[in-house]
């Protein structure tokens, strides 16, 4: 067995922003004086609120084949080298699993240990979306059950949300203008939010109370500007109602007067459409979610898809673990390094392989890895999801070794006294994989 390089490349790593985090809350949302008691029920059925989009652009990233069942056995020299690098991580616990294409599993250090995954949890949240409906778009629609007569809608004005987490204030302005351009000047009824089966819970189980609104905006079936355009206590408690008022104000500015108040309903009847806004494709939203590790987008995608598709993919991948949120902020989430490697290998046997490669941060080039691995052999050759919360650092993804073989890896540290030192150890461990020729 060929010996690996004796000295790992060293490099500077940027200091990550400390993450603070959750409490769970049943939401009682005040909408124009009407209290709507929110319960976390299912999600919008896939495909029911989306429209098809164009084909994705081809990926410029490598497209690895699936690694076969391990044949060569663990590599003791590589394992020792990884342990040496991880010894400087300041972590009370860590796990490392590495599979090499055509060689099998070469490193398995605490591979089955349950760990806090931090934002590598986003891999579990987003992969089902990439597999099941990557080119769908989330559509926000405004309409009514009746057509306008002489500029007047005799009835309610309905806003049908699909849970689009990327909706912005400018989008509401454009929607309001479309309503006016459709010949509507006055609405005799109410402004009604149709939210389908989207949940109303503002937080997830396992979150620290300090997470909202500083690390993630309060969750909502009708979000605007990731629900961070205000940080007042009232807004954090009532984001949906406040966002509906923002839309009402935009309608008024556009010349559309709504006489009645604001309210919400599961599925109000809409036979006439006045305005629509379509999001980027789901694949595009996932790309933004993974590259920037956007907590709000991840939670929004979970609201839309629900747990069933995630659990189905985990089972099909032969992975494991549990989670209570989609972003990895939850202190109740538990994954294993072996489970993350299983998920990543499954991803590259699926239809989502190239889309995931486009979405993952690239070392020294994009996203949360833009400032990592620079001036090393890893630059441009590591595609991986980062993870950071207090005392936790993780990296899970792909690289290639000295023989050009595809490498799938997951490294998770918990109990870090210094997450920057933990990241340096992780980076230097991945650089060992880049040198590997065993």
């Amino acid at each position: 067995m060929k010996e690996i390089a004796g000295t790992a490349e060293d490099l500077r790593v940027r200091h990550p922003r400390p993450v603070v985090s959750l409490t769970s809350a049943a939401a009682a949302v005040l909408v124009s004086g009407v209290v709507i008691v929110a319960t976390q029920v299912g999600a919008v059925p896939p495909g029911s609120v989306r429209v098809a989009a164009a084909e994705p652009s081809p990926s410029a990233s490598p497209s690895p084949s699936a690694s076969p069942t391990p044949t060569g056995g663990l590599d003791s020299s590589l394992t020792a080298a990884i342990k040496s690098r991880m010894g400087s991580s300041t972590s009370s616990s860590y796990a490392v699993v590495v599979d090499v294409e055509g060689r099998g599993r070469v490193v398995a250090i605490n591979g089955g240990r349950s760990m806090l995954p931090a934002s590598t949890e986003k891999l579990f949240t987003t992969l089902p979306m990439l597999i099941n409906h990557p080119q769908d778009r989330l559509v926000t629609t405004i309409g009514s059950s009746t057509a306008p007569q002489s500029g007047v809608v005799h009835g309610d004005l309905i806003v049908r949300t699909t849970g689009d987490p990327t909706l912005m204030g400018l989008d509401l302005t454009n929607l309001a203008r479309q309503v006016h351009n459709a010949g509507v000047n006055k609405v005799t009824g109410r402004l009604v939010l149709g939210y389908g089966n989207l949940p109303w819970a503002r937080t997830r189980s396992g979150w620290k109370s300090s997470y909202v609104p500083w690390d993630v905006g309060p969750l909502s079936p009708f979000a605007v500007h990731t629900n961070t355009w205000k940080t007042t206590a009232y807004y954090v408690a009532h984001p949906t109602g406040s966002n509906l008022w923002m839309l009402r104000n935009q309608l008024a500015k556009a010349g559309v007067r709504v006489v009645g108040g604001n309210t919400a309903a599961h599925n109000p009847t809409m036979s006439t459409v006045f305005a629509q806004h379509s999001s980027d494709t789901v694949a595009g939203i996932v790309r933004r979610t993974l590259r920037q590790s956007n907590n709000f987008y991840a939670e929004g995608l979970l609201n839309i898809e629900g747990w069933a598709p995630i659990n189905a993919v985990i089972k099909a991948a032969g992975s494991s673990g549990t989670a209570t949120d989609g972003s990895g902020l939850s202190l109740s989430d538990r994954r294993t390094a072996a489970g993350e490697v299983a998920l990543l290998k499954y991803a590259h046997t699926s239809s989502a392989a190239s889309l995931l490669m486009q979405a993952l941060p690239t070392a020294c080039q994009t996203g949360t890895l833009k400032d990592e691995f620079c001036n090393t052999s890893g630059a441009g050759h590591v595609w991986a999801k980062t993870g950071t919360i207090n005392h936790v650092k993780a990296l899970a993804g792909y690289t290639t070794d000295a023989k050009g073989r595809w490498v799938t890896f997951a490294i998770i540290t918990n109990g870090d006294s210094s997450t920057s030192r933990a990241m340096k150890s992780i980076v230097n461990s991945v650089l060992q994989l880049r040198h590997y020729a065993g």
Side-chain angles (χ1 to χ4, degrees):
M1 187 177 298
K2 189 173 180 178
E3 194 73 14
I4 61 172
T7 304
E9 300 173 67
D10 198 7
L11 70 163
R12 296 179 61 188
V13 294
R14 62 185 176 85
H15 291 258
R17 183 175 64 89
V19 179
V20 288
S21 227
L22 127 77
T23 48
S24 58
V29 182
L30 182 62
V31 183
S32 188
V34 178
V35 175
I36 301 172
V37 178
T39 56
Q40 187 160 355
V41 294
V44 174
S48 64
V49 296
R50 306 181 180 98
V51 296
E55 289 298 313
S57 59
S59 172
S61 303
S63 180
S65 59
S67 296
T69 302
T71 56
L74 300 177
D75 189 314
S76 59
S77 296
L78 179 60
T79 299
I82 297 296
K83 285 183 176 179
S84 175
R85 275 48 184 184
M86 295 306 298
S88 302
S89 66
T90 75
S91 310
S92 63
S93 178
Y94 70 86
V96 183
V97 171
V98 181
D99 281 11
V100 176
E101 181 183 14
R103 173 68 172 77
R105 182 146 300 170
V106 293
V107 177
I109 304 170
N110 302 321
R113 179 175 293 176
S114 291
M115 309 278 284
L116 285 165
S119 284
T120 57
E121 180 61 31
K122 293 181 176 73
L123 293 168
F124 293 84
T125 305
T126 57
L127 181 57
M129 304 289 280
L130 292 181
I131 292 173
N132 296 329
H133 32 73
Q135 299 309 310
D136 290 356
R137 295 176 186 267
L138 305 174
V139 182
T140 304
T141 308
I142 300 180
S144 179
S145 60
T146 61
Q149 298 178 4
S150 301
V152 179
V153 171
H154 296 280
D156 295 331
L157 188 65
I158 299 161
V159 186
R160 183 173 292 161
T161 177
T162 61
D164 179 4
T166 68
L167 197 68
M168 302 293 285
L170 180 60
D171 300 325
L172 297 190
T173 300
N174 291 334
L175 283 166
R177 289 172 179 169
Q178 288 182 52
V179 173
H180 183 261
N181 292 340
V184 179
N185 300 316
K186 180 180 178 181
V187 177
T188 63
R190 304 162 298 175
L191 182 60
V192 181
L193 177 67
Y195 59 92
N197 292 321
L198 290 168
W200 285 68
R202 295 177 299 106
T203 64
R204 303 285 192 204
S205 174
W207 284 4
K208 294 180 180 178
S209 58
S210 55
Y211 281 174
V212 180
W214 309 114
D215 291 287
V216 61
L219 308 184
S220 165
F222 182 56
V224 179
H225 197 73
T226 63
N227 285 352
T228 55
W229 63 278
K230 277 189 177 182
T231 57
T232 63
Y234 182 85
Y235 180 80
V236 169
H238 311 292
T240 304
S242 298
N243 292 341
L244 203 58
W245 273 106
M246 178 192 282
L247 175 59
R248 174 185 281 269
N249 291 336
Q250 292 305 313
L251 287 165
K253 289 179 182 179
V256 180
R257 178 188 172 210
V258 181
V259 176
N262 296 351
T263 189
H266 279 287
N267 294 299
T269 300
M270 181 190 296
S271 56
T272 302
V273 173
F274 303 134
Q276 283 190 335
H277 170 77
S278 295
S279 72
D280 191 1
T281 63
V282 166
I285 296 174
V286 168
R287 183 164 57 248
R288 293 159 68 183
T289 301
L290 294 184
R291 284 192 179 182
Q292 302 302 326
S293 203
N294 191 301
N295 294 323
F296 192 84
Y297 286 4
E299 299 301 343
L301 293 174
L302 176 57
N303 278 349
I304 294 165
E305 67 180 330
W307 286 105
I310 295 174
N311 292 332
V313 167
I314 289 172
K315 182 178 180 181
S319 187
S320 60
T322 59
T324 61
D325 71 354
S327 62
L329 285 174
S330 173
L331 300 182
S332 299
D333 294 346
R334 292 294 185 276
R335 300 294 179 190
T336 67
E340 293 195 341
V341 166
L343 185 81
L344 287 164
K345 292 180 71 176
Y346 175 80
H348 274 286
T349 67
S350 75
S351 59
S354 63
L355 291 174
L356 180 61
M357 288 300 299
Q358 293 174 42
L360 287 172
T362 302
C364 199
Q365 291 184 6
T366 62
T368 55
L369 285 182
K370 185 176 182 179
D371 298 323
E372 308 290 1
F373 292 95
C374 296
N375 302 313
T376 74
S377 63
H381 296 282
V382 179
W383 305 268
K385 182 70 197 74
T386 56
T388 308
I389 56 175
N390 283 344
H391 311 297
V392 176
K393 201 73 180 180
L395 190 69
Y398 311 100
T399 189
T400 52
D401 68 8
K403 291 185 174 182
R405 297 172 298 189
W406 197 253
V407 178
T408 306
F409 67 88
I411 305 175
I412 307 173
T413 68
N414 283 189
D416 306 340
S417 59
S418 169
T419 53
S420 62
R421 287 185 61 183
M423 186 59 183
K424 185 173 182 178
S425 294
I426 290 171
V427 167
N428 284 329
S429 294
V430 174
L431 291 174
Q432 285 290 160
L433 305 181
R434 292 281 295 144
H435 294 304
Y436 183 62

